[in-house]
Amino acid sequence: MNTLKHKTRFPNSSDLDDITVNQLTDLINQVYDVAESGMWKPNILRTTKSEVKKLEKNSKLILAELNGMIIGSIHVQKQEDDVAEFGMLVCSPKHRGTRIGSDLCKQLKNG
């Protein structure tokens, strides 16, 4: 198990560069391609680079980071002051089992 501690946070301006947006978009699409195999045709895109960038700009993603690398994310849509909907929860396969998903959800709750 990975003993290094990741952190969760909302995006900042440095997350809007093309390299970071491309890496996050690829991570989301790769995770969903495996998670939804058998439900959809292989290699169907779950999201696009432009959508990820827009979600980051509007602070509708929460990111998990380890040593400067984005290793997970969750999409957040506020419904009311104390109600939000979430989806598109992803974690890098090599970092699973390290509470990243739980910590992303906790960050959502603590907002």
Side-chain angles (χ1 to χ4, degrees), residues 24-33 35 46 61-64 70-75 87-93 96 100-101 104:
L24 181 54
T25 304
D26 290 346
L27 174 63
I28 293 167
N29 286 323
Q30 289 167 4
V31 168
Y32 269 86
D33 193 46
R46 173 64 172 86
L61 287 178
I62 300 173
L63 307 175
I70 304 300
I71 57 171
S73 70
I74 187 171
H75 173 220
M88 215 162 53
L89 173 63
V90 298
C91 173
S92 166
R96 290 194 181 138
I100 291 170
L104 285 165

Side-chain angles (χ1 to χ4, degrees), residues 7 9-24 52-53 56-57 59 63 65 67-70:
K7 65 179 180 178
R9 61 177 177 78
F10 285 92
N12 57 49
S13 59
S14 67
D15 297 313
L16 298 174
D17 69 87
D18 288 341
I19 292 171
T20 303
V21 170
N22 291 347
Q23 288 173 342
L24 181 54
V52 168
K53 193 167 201 168
E56 284 187 314
K57 278 185 181 178
S59 294
L63 307 175
E65 178 182 40
N67 297 330
M69 176 76 107
I70 304 300

Side-chain angles (χ1 to χ4, degrees), residues 77-81 83-85:
Q77 182 66 46
K78 190 172 185 177
Q79 302 295 319
E80 298 174 21
D81 284 340
V83 177
E85 176 181 310

